[in-house]
């Protein structure tokens, strides 16, 4: 018998189970009608469920509310079929006005975190699509905006949806409108395609054809599933994906929410997913009442008794703690990186200042050497003039007059004593500085 835990008496084992689910690598979710009760949609088997409501209203036609969802009973007479269409229209309006609940949002968070492998639902309300999940719908055409291939679909409705109506004769599908207007196509109406074909034949003088009625695209009891092969292919794909795991940490998880597991197809689904890789897959069943007995021993690992929404809230709180720790680690790591980068950038600033000062000193030494050379030339010219006597003195006076008559011009720049280079390489202890001054020397 699976180990049973209670959400009302938390302990170390329950805390560890929540931690293991929160760090799961891949998650498959199987849901039932219990997750939509808080959204305003009744379940089927509870004391206030849909079966009891139908029995109270139509006890003279059916002995149990389940009979109205049994294909062998519903279409036995026109009266029971009309009651079925009436309740389907009522349920369609309830589904159209409902909004996703906490469990639907939890599944959407799994998809956003990248850990949701698939969500299988027995519900026909279509709230998974409203929650933002991509839903596989075999009745949508490839060109439609709502068409999603099964390979990329996040949610698979096991029993169909209330989104479409299908003809029982020609299988043509139409959108199931919840609006009670005359132009809308409703459950129980005659198929427009069948009517068109019959009218064309009558116009040609031929006999008319039978016309089928439209029914919701949901699977009833005691009838074959029209898309069972496609669903079996999806389940086999996901079971293989779970079976390819070799590492036990972190585990893959199969979560079963809000179902009594009384439908044979759902039982087979849970068994196949749970036994695909028992060593690396953790199977957890969460429901208000205990369901799993000895027959589930070795298949379901834990049976948690409590509200499904409370369970999802605890896992979400665990995600929040893990996210805060991850953000703190990233912030600390980025802060250390910024500090090391700033310290490494502080040293080159001193070198730049030194680089900027060195060419100035070189230019000053060049100017001093040029002035020294000009002074030596003037002294040598004065010496030559004094050695020639009067002629030298007259020449000196003549030169002074010429200087006074001509405007003053700046003295010419003398050539440096050392060879002129176009680039100056100054070797320092740490690096080399290249100066591209027009007047520079090589040290």
């Amino acid at each position: 018998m699976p180990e049973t835990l209670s959400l009302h008496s938390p302990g170390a084992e329950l805390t560890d189970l929540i931690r293991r689910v929160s760090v799961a690598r891949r998650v498959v979710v199987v849901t039932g009608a219990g997750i939509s009760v808080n959204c305003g949609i009744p379940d089927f088997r509870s004391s206030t469920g849909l079966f009891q409501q139908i029995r109270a209203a139509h006890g003279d036609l059916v002995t149990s509310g389940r009979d109205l969802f049994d294909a062998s009973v519903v279409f036995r007479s026109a009266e029971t079929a009309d009651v079925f269409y009436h309740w389907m229209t009522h349920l369609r309006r309830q589904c159209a006005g409902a909004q996703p609940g906490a469990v639907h949002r939890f599944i959407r968070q799994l998809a956003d975190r990248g850990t949701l492998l698939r969500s299988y639902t027995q519900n026909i309300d279509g709230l998974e699509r409203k929650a933002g999940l991509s839903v596989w719908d075999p009745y949508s055409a490839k060109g439609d905006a709502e068409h999603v291939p099964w390979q990329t679909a996040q949610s698979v409705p096991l029993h169909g949806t209330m989104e479409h109506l299908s003809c029982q004769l020609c299988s043509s599908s139409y959108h199931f409108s919840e609006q009670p207007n005359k132009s809308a196509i409703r459950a129980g109406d005659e198929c427009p395609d069948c009517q068109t074909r019959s009218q064309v034949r009558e116009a040609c003088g031929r006999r008319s054809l039978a016309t089928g009625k439209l029914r919701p695209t949901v699977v009833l009891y005691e009838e074959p599933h029209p898309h069972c092969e496609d669903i079996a292919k999806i389940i086999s794909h996901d079971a293989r994906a779970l079976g390819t795991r070799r590492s036990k940490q972190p585990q893959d998880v199969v979560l079963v929410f809000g179902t009594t597991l009384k439908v044979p197809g759902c039982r087979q689904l849970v068994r196949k997913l749970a036994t695909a890789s028992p060593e690396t897959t953790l199977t957890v069943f969460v429901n208000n009442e205990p369901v799993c007995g000895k027959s589930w021993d070795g298949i379901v690992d834990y049976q948690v008794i409590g509200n499904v929404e409370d369970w999802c809230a605890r896992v979400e709180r665990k995600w929040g703690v893990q996210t805060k720790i991850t953000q703190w680690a990233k912030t600390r790591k980025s802060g250390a990186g910024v500090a090391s980068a700033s310290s490494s950038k502080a040293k080159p600033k001193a070198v730049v200042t030194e680089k900027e000062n060195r060419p100035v000193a070189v230019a000053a030494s060049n100017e001093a050497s040029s002035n020294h050379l000009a002074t030596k030339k003037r002294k040598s010219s004065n010496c030559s003039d004094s050695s020639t006597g009067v002629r030298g003195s007259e020449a000196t006076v003549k030169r002074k007059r010429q200087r006074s008559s001509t405007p003053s011009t700046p003295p010419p720049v003398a050539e440096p004593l050392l060879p002129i280079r176009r680039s100056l390489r100054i070797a320092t202890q740490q690096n080399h500085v290249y100066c591209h001054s027009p007047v520079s020397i090589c040290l």
Side-chain angles (χ1 to χ4, degrees):
M1 185 174 179
E3 187 168 356
T4 303
L5 303 175
S6 176
L7 282 177
H8 303 290
S9 56
E13 193 170 4
L14 180 62
T15 303
D16 182 67
L17 177 61
I18 293 174
R19 181 195 60 80
R20 292 165 66 183
V21 173
S22 65
V23 299
R25 182 173 178 266
R26 288 178 295 194
V27 180
V28 178
V29 185
V30 181
T31 59
I35 69 169
S36 298
V37 173
N38 290 340
C39 303
I41 300 175
D43 60 357
F44 288 91
R45 292 180 173 83
S46 66
S47 57
T48 59
L50 198 59
F51 288 168
Q52 295 296 328
Q53 296 179 22
I54 294 174
R55 182 181 180 183
H58 306 281
D60 54 338
L61 290 177
V62 293
T63 58
S64 171
R66 181 184 180 278
D67 293 343
L68 204 59
F69 293 88
D70 191 330
S72 61
V73 177
V74 169
F75 303 110
R76 183 184 302 171
S77 64
E79 189 176 3
T80 55
D82 291 340
V83 174
F84 169 74
Y85 295 140
H86 167 76
W87 278 95
M88 287 293 99
T89 303
H90 173 69
L91 187 60
R92 169 58 178 162
R93 293 172 184 171
Q94 286 183 320
C95 295
Q99 295 299 322
V103 182
H104 301 95
R105 293 190 294 270
F106 172 79
I107 300 174
R108 171 61 189 271
Q109 288 190 55
L110 287 173
D112 294 340
R113 291 170 63 88
T115 58
L116 180 66
L117 178 60
R118 199 88 63 184
S119 171
Y120 294 92
T121 179
Q122 302 176 76
N123 301 336
I124 59 177
D125 48 35
L127 293 181
E128 287 78 14
R129 190 188 303 275
K130 291 184 178 181
L133 298 174
S134 57
V135 181
W136 175 72
D137 187 359
Y139 293 96
S140 61
K142 291 186 177 181
D144 295 345
E146 297 180 353
H147 177 73
V148 179
W150 70 265
Q151 293 87 346
T152 59
Q154 297 169 335
S155 179
V156 175
L158 297 173
H159 301 154
T161 64
M162 301 283 286
E163 300 289 334
H164 300 279
L165 295 171
S166 177
C167 177
Q168 302 179 54
L169 190 61
C170 67
S171 300
S172 298
S173 61
Y174 301 89
H175 177 70
F176 191 177
S177 176
E178 68 277 5
Q179 300 297 332
N181 49 39
K182 295 182 179 180
S183 60
I185 299 177
R186 296 166 295 182
D189 291 348
E190 293 186 348
C191 176
D193 286 353
C194 292
Q195 287 180 338
T196 301
R197 284 192 294 269
S198 179
Q199 292 172 1
V200 170
R201 287 179 60 88
E202 290 178 357
C204 296
R206 299 182 180 180
R207 64 179 180 86
S208 62
L209 296 177
T211 303
K213 287 192 174 184
L214 301 177
R215 53 162 288 187
T217 54
V218 296
V219 182
L220 303 177
Y221 294 108
E222 306 300 331
E223 75 172 344
H225 199 302
H227 304 284
C228 59
E229 295 182 359
D230 296 331
I231 293 179
K233 180 170 59 177
I234 300 173
I235 296 173
S236 299
H237 172 273
D238 294 345
R240 287 194 301 269
L242 295 175
T244 56
R245 291 276 290 147
R246 294 294 178 265
S247 176
K248 294 185 179 180
Q249 296 295 336
Q251 289 181 309
D252 294 334
V253 176
V254 177
L255 297 175
V256 185
F257 292 152
T259 177
T260 56
L261 296 177
K262 290 186 177 180
V263 179
C266 186
R267 289 201 300 266
Q268 296 176 6
L269 167 64
V270 175
R271 289 179 182 273
K272 186 166 186 177
L273 294 175
T275 58
S277 180
E279 297 81 7
T280 60
T281 303
L282 178 68
T283 304
V284 181
F285 178 85
V286 184
N287 197 40
N288 285 326
E289 301 176 356
V291 174
C292 300
K294 292 183 179 180
S295 61
W296 293 96
D297 192 13
I299 300 174
V300 175
D301 298 304
Y302 290 94
Q303 180 177 215
V304 181
I305 308 303
N307 190 286
V308 181
E309 295 185 354
D310 294 342
W311 163 270
C312 295
R314 294 195 181 192
V315 178
E316 290 172 354
R317 284 197 296 268
K318 191 67 176 178
W319 284 340
V321 173
Q322 294 171 357
T323 303
K324 289 180 180 178
I325 293 175
T326 304
Q327 292 176 351
W328 175 81
K330 289 182 179 180
T331 304
R332 185 178 182 184
K333 185 177 180 180
S334 61
V338 171
S340 61
S342 61
S343 61
S344 62
K345 290 181 180 179
K347 292 182 180 179
K349 290 184 179 179
V351 176
V352 171
T353 306
E354 184 180 356
K355 294 176 186 178
E356 293 177 353
N357 292 336
R358 291 297 295 273
V360 174
V362 173
S365 62
N366 288 340
E367 185 177 359
S369 61
S370 301
N371 295 336
H372 177 69
L373 181 60
T375 304
K376 288 185 68 178
K377 285 185 177 182
R378 286 197 298 271
K379 288 182 179 179
S380 62
S381 62
N382 292 335
C383 294
S384 62
D385 291 340
S386 60
S387 62
T388 55
V390 178
R391 290 183 181 179
S393 60
E394 292 178 355
T396 302
V397 172
K398 189 175 181 179
R399 283 199 303 272
K400 288 182 179 180
R401 290 177 180 175
Q402 290 177 353
R403 290 176 183 175
S404 61
S405 61
T406 57
S408 59
T409 56
V413 178
E415 296 293 333
L417 296 176
L418 298 178
I420 297 176
R421 302 284 181 143
R422 287 295 178 185
S423 63
L424 172 65
R425 181 181 184 188
I426 302 174
T428 62
Q429 293 181 357
Q430 297 181 354
N431 53 5
H432 298 284
V433 179
Y434 293 92
C435 178
H436 299 283
S437 175
V439 179
S440 59
I441 61 175
C442 180
L443 299 180

